[in-house]
Amino acid sequence: DAGLMYGNIIYDKSPVVMAMLIRMMGKEAFQKGIQEYLKTYAYGNATWEGLISILDTYTDEDLKSWSHVWVHEKGMPEISAEIKGDSLFVSQADPFGRGLCWPQEIKYMILSENSADVISITCATNSNCIGTKLQTPRQGKTVVIPNVDGAAYGFFRVKDEQEANDWYSVLKESKDEILRGSLLISLYENLLNRTISPEGYMCAMLEYIPKETNTLLLSTALDYIGNCQRWFPYDSQIVEQVLWKMVQKAEQPQHRLLAFRLYASVARTLEATERLYQLWKKQERPAGCALSENDYTNLSYTLAILLPEKAEKIVAIQQERIGNPDRKQQYAFISPAVSPRKEGRDSLFSALLVAENRRVEPWAATALGYLNSPLRQQEAVGYIRPAL
């Protein structure tokens, strides 16, 4: 059960913070500080403050102030950039109005008809606006792309829909995988912050994903598209058509499988629902994709919601198909969440209000996800306050 504790904060934030320390101090100074830290606290317990106190003696940087902003305070900077005259100006704002400044280095790419320059901007703890002169005189239209190396952290606010369109164009055309990954995150953050239109976002992303060759980037993009479709529903038929075409024609089998999984989770039209039902019923492989037992299990949950008149039969058949006793127990726990009977779903929800029944957190989280299905929003409203 200890493994259930390890989420994005531990796996993602920790190495990001350590990498920032290394960039600030330099590798040699950081290594010496870590060596002293390990000797000082050998066979004992240590705090983050203990580490910072030791590292602080190996650098001229004010690590305690850095740590206060980056580790002890909540939130992240909101960062904007614009070109005025022959200079790039970058500003950061504290979304909680505390006046904090997050020290870090940010790399920008300045694209114009005659150049593609990369400029480094160093944000300090005592300044929220930095200006630097452009390396090359601009000609024609200029596009400013933030965080091109993906090493900076914050909400990089897009100026307007035109600038968003410029970022979409770079995303679709760039050969730099790190730049594409950084743009994916920045565009998604702007979607979450409502600074770009969901329609424009979805349209651009559906054009982009068939061309993406990097599996990790495609997987990320598909996750973002799925969330966008759930929060800001786009034309289901268009989304399904793009994804099903990828299922049939993507060059890499893994990409066909990733596209199918999203297709199965967002399908809403009668045509897509019937296609999924036949695939599940006959246990077929769509376009040769090797589906796992877990894929067919997830399909059964989705189909039970989409086809309430067949739900009980679908659940019974899938329960019989599962051979592993642990997975059978898992299915028996989760499947009431997709029941067509509201009293059955309410009974499961009431059971989840008891802490002991949520001991296996992934099962409880999955069940809650289906109880709050977008297809049953009105019926699920009553779950919100008791769940919180």
Side-chain angles (χ1 to χ4, degrees):
D1 290 344
L4 300 176
M5 297 168 56
Y6 287 80
N8 290 340
I9 292 295
I10 291 176
Y11 279 123
D12 294 344
K13 182 176 182 179
S14 301
V16 167
V17 168
M18 300 309 284
M20 290 179 72
L21 276 171
I22 293 171
R23 284 196 298 273
M24 289 176 65
M25 299 178 62
K27 291 183 179 180
E28 187 176 344
F30 178 81
Q31 187 177 44
K32 289 179 180 178
I34 285 293
Q35 288 171 347
E36 180 182 335
Y37 170 75
L38 293 175
K39 290 176 184 177
T40 302
Y41 293 102
Y43 311 110
N45 293 323
T47 64
W48 172 255
E49 286 71 22
L51 172 63
I52 292 300
S53 294
I54 289 175
L55 293 181
D56 216 8
T57 64
Y58 288 88
T59 179
D60 294 331
E61 300 285 348
D62 185 356
L63 294 189
K64 290 183 179 179
S65 296
W66 170 87
S67 176
H68 171 74
V69 174
W70 278 107
V71 177
H72 292 286
E73 293 290 345
K74 67 179 178 179
M76 60 182 176
E78 181 179 303
I79 302 168
S80 303
E82 65 175 327
I83 292 177
K84 295 179 180 178
D86 62 352
S87 298
L88 172 68
F89 288 88
V90 176
S91 61
Q92 60 169 308
D94 180 356
F96 295 100
R98 298 159 298 183
L100 296 179
C101 293
W102 286 259
Q104 61 179 319
E105 181 180 326
I106 309 172
K107 289 187 177 180
Y108 284 86
M109 180 177 288
I110 312 300
L111 297 171
S112 64
E113 292 180 4
N114 63 321
S115 63
D117 295 329
V118 175
I119 296 177
S120 291
I121 298 288
T122 300
C123 300
T125 55
N126 59 353
S127 175
N128 59 9
C129 186
I130 307 98
T132 188
K133 195 169 183 179
L134 300 178
Q135 299 171 1
T136 308
R138 296 173 296 137
Q139 290 184 9
K141 181 180 178 179
T142 302
V143 179
V144 179
I145 304 296
N147 198 23
V148 293
D149 61 350
Y153 182 75
F155 166 42
F156 295 92
R157 175 181 281 272
V158 72
K159 185 167 55 178
D160 50 34
E161 286 290 339
Q162 180 54 57
E163 185 169 66
N165 290 334
D166 293 334
W167 290 13
Y168 294 138
S169 296
V170 175
L171 174 66
K172 287 181 277 189
E173 297 169 7
S174 175
K175 303 298 182 184
D176 186 332
E177 293 178 334
I178 293 177
L179 174 56
R180 297 202 304 274
S182 180
L183 273 173
L184 278 176
I185 295 171
S186 294
L187 286 164
Y188 184 61
E189 290 284 344
N190 277 276
L191 173 73
L192 298 182
N193 283 276
R194 312 293 180 90
T195 55
I196 57 178
S197 73
E199 296 80 8
Y201 178 84
M202 184 64 88
C203 184
M205 293 296 286
L206 291 177
E207 289 182 20
Y208 153 72
I209 54 173
K211 302 174 184 177
E212 181 54 72
T213 57
N214 181 289
T215 302
L216 179 59
L217 295 184
L218 178 63
S219 176
T220 300
L222 291 173
D223 283 345
Y224 292 167
I225 288 173
N227 289 337
C228 183
Q229 182 66 358
R230 282 182 278 273
W231 299 329
F232 314 105
Y234 193 67
D235 188 320
S236 294
Q237 192 168 23
I238 294 175
V239 177
E240 292 167 8
Q241 286 174 350
V242 171
L243 292 173
W244 187 248
K245 187 174 181 180
M246 289 181 65
V247 172
Q248 294 177 305
K249 297 187 175 182
E251 292 184 5
Q252 299 183 45
Q254 180 67 11
H255 292 190
R256 296 199 298 271
L257 181 58
L258 289 171
F260 174 77
R261 286 172 174 166
L262 179 58
Y263 176 85
S265 72
V266 301
R268 294 293 181 268
T269 65
L270 292 175
E271 178 185 5
T273 301
E274 180 59 25
R275 177 181 286 141
L276 290 175
Y277 178 69
Q278 292 302 322
L279 287 170
W280 171 83
K281 183 179 179 181
K282 300 173 184 177
Q283 292 187 281
E284 293 179 345
R285 296 182 172 190
C289 294
L291 299 185
S292 65
E293 181 181 79
N294 193 50
D295 286 315
Y296 289 111
T297 297
N298 289 337
L299 257 183
S300 74
Y301 292 140
T302 299
L303 290 168
I305 297 175
L306 290 171
L307 301 169
E309 71 282 0
K310 298 180 180 178
E312 293 184 358
K313 184 177 180 180
I314 289 171
V315 168
I317 292 174
Q318 188 63 35
Q319 180 76 55
E320 186 64 28
R321 287 177 176 176
I322 299 172
N324 181 281
D326 291 332
R327 288 198 290 271
K328 271 187 174 293
Q329 185 179 359
Q330 178 182 5
Y331 193 77
F333 181 97
I334 295 172
S335 57
V338 298
S339 170
R341 296 180 300 106
K342 186 176 185 301
E343 58 269 25
R345 301 195 301 275
D346 288 348
S347 177
L348 172 61
F349 178 77
S350 296
L352 290 174
L353 293 176
V354 179
E356 177 60 24
N357 295 332
R358 303 193 302 272
R359 189 179 64 82
V360 185
E361 292 181 9
W363 295 10
T366 302
L368 283 168
Y370 287 117
L371 284 171
N372 290 278
S373 166
L375 295 174
R376 291 177 173 152
Q377 286 190 11
Q378 294 305 312
E379 295 178 358
V381 166
Y383 298 147
I384 295 175
R385 194 172 294 277
L388 293 174

